Amino acid sequence: MSRVLRASLLLVVVALAHPSHEVDVYHKMLRGSGTPSLGREAEIDPQFWASEARAAIEAKLRRTEPTGRARNVVMFLGDGMSVPTLTAARTLLGQRQGASGEEAQLEFEKFPTTGLSKTYCVDAQIADSACSATAYLCGSKANSGTIGVSAAVPRYHCTAATDSNNHVHSIADWALSDSRDAGIVTTTRVTHASPAGTYAHTANRDWESDTDVECEEPRPRDIALQLVHDHPGDKFKVILGGGRREFLPNTVYDEEGTQGRRSDGRNLIEEWQENKKTLNVSYQYIWNRKQLLDTASDPPEFLLGLFEGSHMQYHMQADPDTEPTLAELTEVAIRSLSRNENGFFLFVEGGRIDHAHHDNFAQMALDETIQMSEAVARAASMLSEEDSLIVVTADHAHVMNINGYTARGSSIIGPSDSVGDDAVPYLTLSYGNGPGFRPHTEAGVREDITENDYLDVMFRFEALVPLDEETHGGDDVAVFSRGPHHSMFSGLYEQNHIPHLMAYAACLGPPPNACQTIST
């Protein structure tokens, strides 16, 4: 039977079943079975839902908010972790555990306070990871593509970013100025836009090595060079992530065969080690999981771990012998930084959520979100709510959506229960744009997506508009918090408020903070 004929028959069946005066054209949904799925029979009784709500209220009433100083601050950043990503990831998590999925919770969704931040940048309605990093780490909105500089610096401007008057400074810098320690953990290159927001000042996020810098004189310092030799990056006790190539000469190949990218002949990994040797402190450079785990019980004073030539591998594709998990990286970082009695600031990024979305790899984006949830759980188990603030948020959204009228418990990465008006199936998850676009036939009929292996981790979910790379979204993003002054993170606010709120709770950085009187 042709697809056109199938579509015509479907329309006839719908018309017969629902006379025109009764049809709600906006909610053409499948009729439910009326019977709860296996294991959910209790939900028939309204008392189930009333009891569930009362338990939630009682849990809120039992909670007390710590109001003292946050000695430690850990900021988790899910790059591109939109609200639909959270919904789909929690559902996948629950389904992996054998439940219907929708009722599951990611670890940080259990935190007592949730808010929303607005992610636009000074010159952009929809943010990139550079201007947003400047907002949520340095407290100032900036232009797209720029990091650690004010909006007086346009992207690519070779001289404006070298003017220190245009520099803005991160909460990691504020923590160091308060005699606390600082560190970064990421699944991207450590020179990538988000982690670079803790230490770099640049007019172009792509200037990761000297080869990338497109300027003559004055020639801005590349991001890798700033991390190794400039304040505050040279003071970071922990640097864990990917990106060895940005630190190595293009005549050198790293431990796994990736060629360096530097044209200046400098080996910044060796220079980092020489610098620590000169300071007469303990230090170690590591590049694989075994070395990381070997340091866990007694980390050196300074730890540089670069686990890939470029970004770290997706968790679902990673070699467990060489690639640590985000939770393992987070644990080692906290163990190291916790030795400072004054406290610390730690930035942890689940950076490859974003990359998977750009490729329309929805399943991998959700798995990377689950991995970040596990890292948050690890941190929460190691740090007391009384003196440690944990904040979890995203830099921007993506254009993945959850659509259709799919029955409860259906696979979140599978097809919807309904079909299009062309009688062709579609998936519950799809994208507004990206490489997952599939051309329609000359008759305007879509490809039957269920004829593909949509469970494959490299399967590209459907996209409406063809693009080589899916775009970010302009949605507000969620902010979750636990620890001293967590209620300050409720409501809707500008993204650049976030570091100021963290500083308020921790009594550091520019005033006002929790240790000062706010004038009225």
Side-chain angles (χ1 to χ4, degrees):
M1 182 185 296
S2 72
R3 286 176 173 168
V4 174
L5 181 57
R6 284 165 58 194
S8 300
L9 290 174
L10 178 65
L11 292 174
V12 170
V13 170
V14 170
L16 291 174
H18 302 282
S20 60
H21 66 280
E22 294 181 359
V23 171
D24 180 349
V25 295
Y26 302 110
H27 300 93
K28 293 189 293 183
M29 59 190 296
L30 296 179
R31 291 172 176 262
S33 67
T35 304
S37 58
L38 184 65
R40 308 301 298 180
E41 292 86 353
E43 294 179 0
I44 296 174
D45 186 353
Q47 187 58 42
F48 169 87
W49 299 106
S51 298
E52 188 269 344
R54 279 196 298 271
I57 292 170
E58 289 169 358
K60 288 179 182 292
L61 292 174
R62 286 194 300 270
R63 260 193 183 275
T64 58
E65 179 179 2
T67 56
R69 181 177 70 102
R71 188 168 62 91
N72 309 311
V73 177
V74 183
M75 182 179 188
F76 283 89
L77 191 283
D79 198 314
M81 192 175 68
S82 62
V83 171
T85 301
L86 295 173
T87 303
R90 85 169 71 103
T91 305
L92 179 60
L93 173 64
Q95 290 177 348
R96 286 178 173 179
Q97 295 170 341
S100 61
E102 296 83 0
E103 68 290 333
Q105 280 187 303
L106 299 169
E107 186 66 27
F108 46 87
E109 292 177 328
K110 304 171 187 176
F111 284 7
T113 293
T114 303
L116 291 170
S117 82
K118 297 186 285 183
T119 61
Y120 68 91
C121 294
V122 170
D123 65 342
Q125 190 174 74
I126 298 175
D128 82 313
S129 293
C131 61
S132 54
T134 306
Y136 64 73
L137 286 167
C138 303
S140 178
K141 294 216 174 194
N143 293 320
S144 181
T146 67
I147 302 171
V149 292
S150 72
V153 179
R155 188 172 188 178
Y156 308 113
H157 200 289
C158 293
T159 57
T162 62
D163 184 350
S164 61
N165 291 320
N166 294 332
H167 292 181
V168 292
H169 303 281
S170 75
I171 186 171
D173 192 349
W174 305 346
L176 290 169
S177 298
D178 195 52
S179 300
R180 308 190 204 195
D181 282 334
I184 56 173
V185 169
T186 180
T187 53
T188 69
R189 296 188 294 270
V190 295
T191 51
H192 211 235
S194 302
T198 61
Y199 62 86
H201 308 284
T202 182
N204 185 6
R205 57 177 290 175
D206 295 330
W207 292 345
E208 295 185 55
S209 78
D210 70 302
T211 303
D212 305 313
V213 180
E214 302 156 332
C215 307
E216 296 302 327
E217 296 297 334
R219 186 174 175 83
R221 291 164 73 82
D222 62 84
I223 294 172
L225 189 66
Q226 291 186 54
L227 176 57
V228 172
H229 286 293
D230 292 355
H231 179 86
D234 64 342
K235 310 295 191 307
F236 287 179
K237 291 293 181 68
V238 178
I239 302 169
L240 301 174
R244 289 188 294 255
R245 70 183 196 186
E246 314 300 334
F247 297 81
L248 297 174
N250 53 22
T251 56
V252 171
Y253 290 82
D254 71 14
E255 294 86 350
E256 295 179 301
T258 302
Q259 185 177 9
R261 298 193 69 251
R262 302 195 67 82
S263 304
D264 57 9
R266 299 178 71 166
N267 186 320
L268 295 183
I269 295 175
E270 291 181 354
E271 290 183 22
W272 180 88
Q273 294 177 87
E274 285 299 318
N275 174 265
K276 304 312 175 223
K277 183 178 180 180
T278 301
L279 295 174
N280 196 30
V281 294
S282 61
Y283 63 90
Q284 187 175 358
Y285 162 67
I286 59 176
W287 67 271
N288 62 53
R289 179 172 181 260
K290 181 181 184 302
Q291 291 174 331
L292 177 81
L293 298 182
D294 286 346
T295 70
S297 60
D298 187 23
E301 292 177 72
F302 287 84
L303 180 63
L304 172 62
L306 301 176
F307 302 94
E308 282 290 338
S310 183
H311 303 303
M312 291 182 64
Q313 299 170 36
Y314 288 114
H315 172 258
M316 295 185 79
Q317 298 177 320
D319 179 351
D321 291 333
T322 60
E323 203 90 354
T325 67
L326 187 59
E328 290 169 341
L329 294 170
T330 301
E331 178 176 345
V332 171
I334 290 175
R335 287 185 182 279
S336 176
L337 296 172
S338 294
R339 292 176 298 193
N340 187 332
E341 294 182 356
N342 295 318
F344 63 83
F345 172 79
L346 174 64
F347 176 77
V348 181
E349 182 196 22
R352 306 224 62 194
I353 301 168
D354 173 77
H355 298 162
H357 276 320
H358 280 308
D359 281 327
N360 293 160
F361 293 153
Q363 184 178 181
M364 282 206 286
L366 305 188
D367 182 74
E368 292 294 308
T369 304
I370 292 171
Q371 295 309 305
M372 200 181 81
S373 176
E374 292 185 5
V376 173
R378 189 73 58 90
S381 70
M382 298 176 69
L383 298 170
S384 167
E385 288 190 59
E386 295 303 312
D387 71 349
S388 297
L389 174 68
I390 301 178
V391 177
V392 182
T393 188
D395 47 357
H396 54 72
H398 272 275
V399 295
M400 187 196 79
N401 60 76
I402 306 172
N403 64 113
Y405 292 114
T406 306
R408 173 115 174 253
S410 297
S411 171
I412 191 64
I413 56 174
S416 172
D417 290 337
S418 59
V419 296
D421 286 348
D422 54 4
V424 179
Y426 60 92
L427 299 180
T428 297
L429 301 180
S430 64
Y431 287 88
N433 57 55
F437 174 80
R438 291 161 172 82
H440 297 186
T441 67
E442 291 183 4
V445 178
R446 295 176 298 113
E447 174 185 327
D448 186 345
I449 204 73
T450 61
E451 293 178 356
N452 299 276
D453 183 8
Y454 52 81
L455 297 180
D456 188 291
V457 297
M458 298 291 285
F459 174 79
R460 297 188 195 274
F461 281 62
E462 293 176 282
L464 175 64
V465 176
L467 284 176
D468 287 341
E469 182 180 282
E470 176 259 14
T471 70
H472 295 169
D475 320 24
D476 299 336
V477 295
V479 184
F480 305 90
S481 57
R482 186 203 86 163
H485 302 279
H486 62 71
S487 64
M488 296 289 288
F489 293 86
S490 64
L492 171 66
Y493 39 84
E494 301 288 354
Q495 191 171 46
N496 66 288
H497 294 188
I498 293 174
H500 294 287
L501 292 170
M502 292 189 291
Y504 177 95
C507 304
L508 55 82
N513 59 50
C515 295
Q516 297 175 325
T517 301
I518 302 175
S519 60
T520 58

